[in-house]
Amino acid sequence: MTSTPAAEAADPRRWKALSVTLVAGFMSLLDVSIVSVALPSIQTGLGASPAGVQWVVSGYALAFGLALVPAGRLGDAIGRRRMFLGALAAFVLFSGMAGAAPTIELLIVARLLQGVAAGALAPQNSALIQQLFAGAERGRAFGFFGATVGISTAVGPVAGGSILALAGDAEGWRWIFFVNLPIGIVALVLAARLIPRTEPGPRGHIDLPGVALLGGGVLALMLPLVEAEAGGLRRLWWLFPVGAALLAAFVRWERRVIDRDREPLLNLRLLTGTVGYAAGVGLGTVYFVGFSGIWLVFALFFQTGLGYTPLASGLAVTPFALGSAASAVIGGRLVARLGRLLTVLGLALVVSGLGATAVVLLSVPPGAAGWAVAAPLLVAGIGGGWVISPNTTMTLRCVPVRMAGSAGGALQTGQRIGSAVGTAGLAGLYYTVLAGSGQDQRAAVAAAIGTAALAVTVALAIAVAQWRSDRHRAADREADQARRYAAEAHHP
């Protein structure tokens, strides 16, 4: 018989197992942003074109997003432990291939394969938390998970800059990939020892048409975005309606699979029958438009506009990462008590912090920008720590454990799409304002960061609506209980 979450929570190794899985998750998410600062070194070292080195970043993000839902469903079917170990081993192998790549073409291939491995790894993290923890402990575990997501994204630039500073510009970019090898091998050995064995879910049927339709739809939506700097939005705009049509076909197909009592790739009843799931996916998608999009804008402003080194540029945005790390752990303890209200408070702080950052960057002299943004970015980071992990907890809390992998994969797919939209859109806005304002760096960065704040405001509106819905639902439950008690008192 498959173990229940409560039973798994009794495993004395669960917190050690979580630590190992979070280290692996940190590596895979860090590789989304850490490579950006090394692109000039890669271009020089391999004699690559700008479009070629752009695919080192965008190809990884694209493959990551495509793999999430199918890998989550496969983990549900064959077992999360087995899937996690296989994905982690592949990630370590392809990291080594990327670091040793002699040409830009082989580096891009290695990054695509590394992205698939990372996308296969990511949904197993949230699914294992669902499997191993219950009640208040699950909230704390998701708090650590949220801290991992927030920190890995925010510290990528400073980590990449530090490695380049130590290893040198010429071949130092290779160590951005090689550093994954010792960490990944140790994590693999510990994971094999600490992650408990459980029986896999029902296999029977792997929804291959669903994989093809969803993969095609996500590819069509993301490809113009990851190609944005090479004119992808202008050349490939027609893929957006194609992607929408493929996703509509995916929804129709999944309904047919469910009607036939077969296992779908993504059970659409999660969107309609699971409290808070649809709102949480929408909130996460919109939030990542602003959250992920700001890092490239900051790198462009500080490095290209102000002449900062990659390390100095990363250090300038470190307050966000520090605030996010501290508040995410605290948020994991508060989410069981405050629920969606915690996300509302966090989003309000992010909006305030990013809005203040835009005003500061527009107002202060360029030489003082690095120091001036520290306080508002710290406020935004504190708020950010109360968004990702509480939203993950509230989104997945009512999901059946047997669907945890595919549900977590869909949640993270939305985040990856939001990240691609934000990175392409905000960077494009930065360049547009720069060109139209006579190369006014302050106006360009303020416009992009202000737009990110508007995107987070949309996420805040979704969170407020869901919070009010949760309150009404809780009030209805209390009223029903009061009526039952009254009825029992009159008819003992």
Side-chain angles (χ1 to χ4, degrees):
M1 186 173 76
T2 303
S3 301
T4 65
E8 292 290 352
D11 191 317
R13 300 173 300 173
R14 63 191 182 278
W15 288 106
K16 293 180 180 179
L18 176 66
S19 300
V20 175
T21 62
L22 291 184
V23 168
F26 181 89
M27 278 196 311
S28 66
L29 290 167
L30 184 69
D31 266 45
V32 175
S33 59
I34 191 174
V35 180
S36 298
V37 298
L39 292 185
S41 297
I42 294 173
Q43 185 175 353
T44 302
L46 296 181
S49 67
V53 294
Q54 182 60 35
W55 265 95
V56 174
V57 176
S58 58
Y60 181 88
L62 182 61
F64 194 120
L66 289 173
L68 284 164
V69 176
R73 172 68 189 94
L74 195 58
D76 292 340
I78 70 173
R80 284 81 183 238
R81 180 182 184 275
R82 182 181 302 174
M83 193 70 184
F84 182 91
L85 294 175
L88 180 55
F91 184 81
V92 172
L93 173 64
F94 298 134
S95 293
M97 287 178 56
T103 66
I104 189 63
E105 291 79 13
L106 289 177
L107 177 58
I108 292 171
V109 170
R111 283 289 282 174
L112 288 169
L113 294 172
Q114 191 189 25
V116 171
L121 189 67
Q124 314 314 322
N125 269 310
S126 57
L128 283 167
I129 290 174
Q130 291 280 90
Q131 177 179 302
L132 294 173
F133 298 92
E137 277 198 342
R138 183 178 291 175
R140 289 178 58 200
F142 273 125
F144 289 116
F145 176 72
T148 301
V149 174
I151 296 171
S152 62
T153 304
V155 306
V158 70
S162 300
I163 291 173
L164 287 174
L166 291 172
D169 288 339
E171 294 292 309
W173 64 268
R174 296 185 183 277
W175 287 97
I176 287 178
F177 304 112
F178 285 148
V179 75
N180 291 333
L181 300 185
I183 299 172
I185 290 170
V186 172
L188 187 62
V189 172
L190 293 176
R193 294 181 56 188
L194 295 173
I195 297 177
R197 299 177 184 273
T198 56
E199 293 184 18
R203 296 193 196 187
H205 166 259
I206 298 295
D207 182 14
L208 294 179
V211 171
L213 288 170
L214 179 62
V218 173
L219 176 63
L221 292 179
M222 289 187 67
L223 188 58
L225 296 169
V226 300
E227 280 274 277
E229 289 197 30
L233 293 175
R234 184 181 65 255
R235 291 184 293 104
L236 303 174
W237 63 267
W238 54 272
L239 283 176
F240 289 123
V242 171
L246 288 172
L247 292 180
F250 169 74
V251 170
R252 289 196 296 271
W253 173 259
E254 294 299 279
R255 284 174 177 161
R256 288 182 60 187
V257 172
I258 293 170
D259 290 341
R260 295 174 182 174
D261 284 332
R262 303 174 79 182
E263 282 292 325
L265 178 65
L266 176 64
N267 196 323
L268 298 177
R269 290 170 184 158
L270 287 170
L271 298 174
T272 57
T274 302
V275 175
Y277 184 77
V281 171
L283 188 157
T285 300
V286 177
Y287 176 70
F288 267 73
V289 171
F291 169 68
S292 295
I294 62 176
W295 307 116
L296 178 56
V297 170
F298 278 131
L300 291 170
F301 173 68
F302 284 119
Q303 293 183 48
T304 305
L306 302 185
Y308 282 30
T309 66
L311 179 58
S313 173
L315 290 173
V317 297
T318 298
F320 189 105
L322 295 176
S324 180
S327 64
V329 176
I330 298 171
R333 301 174 186 273
L334 295 177
V335 66
R337 185 171 57 190
L338 298 181
R340 184 63 71 183
L341 176 60
L342 186 63
T343 312
V344 171
L345 295 173
L347 287 166
L349 287 174
V350 176
V351 172
S352 302
L354 290 183
T357 300
V359 173
V360 166
L361 289 173
L362 187 62
S363 306
V364 303
W371 292 104
V373 297
L377 282 181
L378 180 63
V379 171
I382 291 171
W386 290 346
V387 176
I388 297 174
S389 56
N391 184 58
T392 303
T393 302
M394 301 300 293
T395 303
L396 300 178
R397 60 178 174 163
C398 296
V399 171
V401 174
R402 65 186 178 85
M403 300 180 188
S406 55
L411 174 62
Q412 294 193 57
T413 299
Q415 294 173 356
R416 291 301 106 206
I417 292 174
S419 177
V421 171
T423 301
L426 295 183
L429 177 62
Y430 176 86
Y431 283 123
T432 300
V433 175
L434 198 63
S437 63
Q439 301 299 305
D440 188 338
Q441 296 282 349
R442 293 192 295 176
V445 72
I449 302 303
T451 303
L454 290 178
V456 179
T457 302
V458 176
L460 175 59
I462 296 172
V464 169
Q466 186 60 39
W467 172 55
R468 295 180 64 181
S469 176
D470 289 346
R471 290 182 64 193
H472 290 318
R473 194 177 297 108
D476 290 342
R477 283 198 301 267
E478 291 176 1
D480 287 341
Q481 288 177 351
R483 283 193 291 269
R484 282 200 301 270
Y485 291 151
E488 291 170 0
H490 283 93
H491 303 284

